[in-house]
Amino acid sequence: MTFNKKIKLGISVLAIGGFIASGSLFFTSTNAAPKLSELNTPRISLEASYIDYKTVSELDSNAELIVIGTPLQGFDDRQHIVTSFDDGTLQDFYTLTNIKMDKVIKSPEGSSLNLDEPLSIVEPISYIDDAGGKKKIAYEDYTELKQNEKSIIFLKKNTQGQYSVINMDLGKFAIEPSSQSPSSSVDKQDSKEQFRESVLEKYGLK
């Protein structure tokens, strides 16, 4: 996986209580309930160096694949990848998420995507285990795609040939507004909601 990033030392660990309290906002009655382990798991956010697309037009132009799809598994049941350097220092992490594609909005010329087959995509988030126990770790406060929640997702192939979510948390948006996952701050959530509205309007999803 390559998000063209580097891990910086500043790590912000969100309080478990705050994470649990906000968890009730994450899900609607139409979605699969999160496992208790997900709600009780503390979060770590790492800064990353990545290309930040600030407009929907930029995001559209730079995405190789744009789909509307739904994760087939809860986060706990997905494949979580963590790699380390020889000295044990964290090198990289990501999660492979299988999605059911409902619609392909944009795809590379000559590609042949089968809507009947799941598509495996890379998300910049995972689980790690250390002396303090199990934690959810993400780049730039990224929040994972939710099971049974239909989203529009902007993707680009990395150097391993895997389709990866681009633009961090502003690279995927739930179609239904009530099922949006809050970010780490009110300002960031407001900004994401404004961006989301522009995305849905552009692709006729409102």
Side-chain angles (χ1 to χ4, degrees):
M1 163 196 178
T2 57
F3 282 101
N4 200 14
K5 59 199 174 303
K6 57 183 177 181
I7 299 174
K8 299 183 180 178
L9 293 179
I11 298 178
S12 59
V13 180
L14 303 183
I16 299 176
F19 179 64
I20 296 174
S22 62
S24 61
L25 301 176
F26 285 16
F27 304 91
T28 66
S29 59
T30 59
N31 293 328
K35 294 183 178 181
L36 186 60
S37 60
E38 290 186 41
L39 293 177
N40 289 336
T41 305
R43 291 179 57 97
I44 298 172
S45 178
L46 300 184
E47 294 181 356
S49 176
Y50 67 102
I51 300 176
D52 183 11
Y53 302 115
K54 298 188 179 299
T55 68
V56 179
S57 294
E58 288 180 338
L59 186 58
D60 179 276
S61 297
N62 286 278
E64 295 176 348
L65 177 65
I66 305 173
V67 301
I68 295 176
T70 309
L72 296 172
Q73 300 166 305
F75 188 72
D76 276 2
D77 299 320
R78 301 173 197 174
Q79 186 177 359
H80 309 293
I81 310 296
V82 177
T83 60
S84 302
F85 293 106
D86 292 339
D87 64 358
T89 304
L90 181 66
Q91 179 183 36
D92 199 7
F93 59 85
Y94 58 94
T95 289
L96 294 176
T97 299
N98 292 321
I99 63 170
K100 178 187 180 300
M101 292 185 292
D102 297 293
K103 182 179 181 181
V104 176
I105 295 176
K106 177 183 178 181
S107 62
E109 186 176 351
S111 66
S112 55
L113 293 171
N114 187 347
L115 292 181
D116 294 327
E117 296 181 358
L119 176 68
S120 179
I121 66 172
V122 172
E123 294 191 84
I125 187 170
S126 188
Y127 279 133
I128 60 169
D129 283 295
D130 58 21
K134 184 178 180 179
K135 299 179 179 66
K136 185 178 286 186
I137 185 169
Y139 288 107
E140 300 292 343
D141 290 319
Y142 180 89
T143 55
E144 71 274 10
L145 291 160
K146 302 298 186 291
Q147 185 181 19
N148 298 331
E149 182 176 84
K150 189 178 294 186
S151 298
I152 179 169
I153 311 165
F154 297 80
L155 303 155
K156 192 170 187 175
K157 277 191 176 181
N158 59 24
T159 56
Q160 283 74 46
Q162 301 163 303
Y163 278 113
S164 303
V165 177
I166 61 174
N167 215 36
M168 295 298 171
D169 224 28
L170 295 181
K172 46 83 179 175
F173 304 90
I175 304 301
E176 295 297 328
S178 60
S179 59
Q180 283 294 291
S181 300
S183 299
S184 59
S185 69
V186 174
D187 289 343
K188 184 176 288 188
Q189 180 60 20
D190 288 343
S191 177
K192 179 176 180 179
E193 182 59 25
Q194 292 174 7
F195 204 103
R196 174 186 166 276
E197 288 292 326
S198 298
V199 167
L200 297 188
E201 183 175 354
K202 176 176 177 63
Y203 299 104
L205 299 174
K206 296 185 67 174

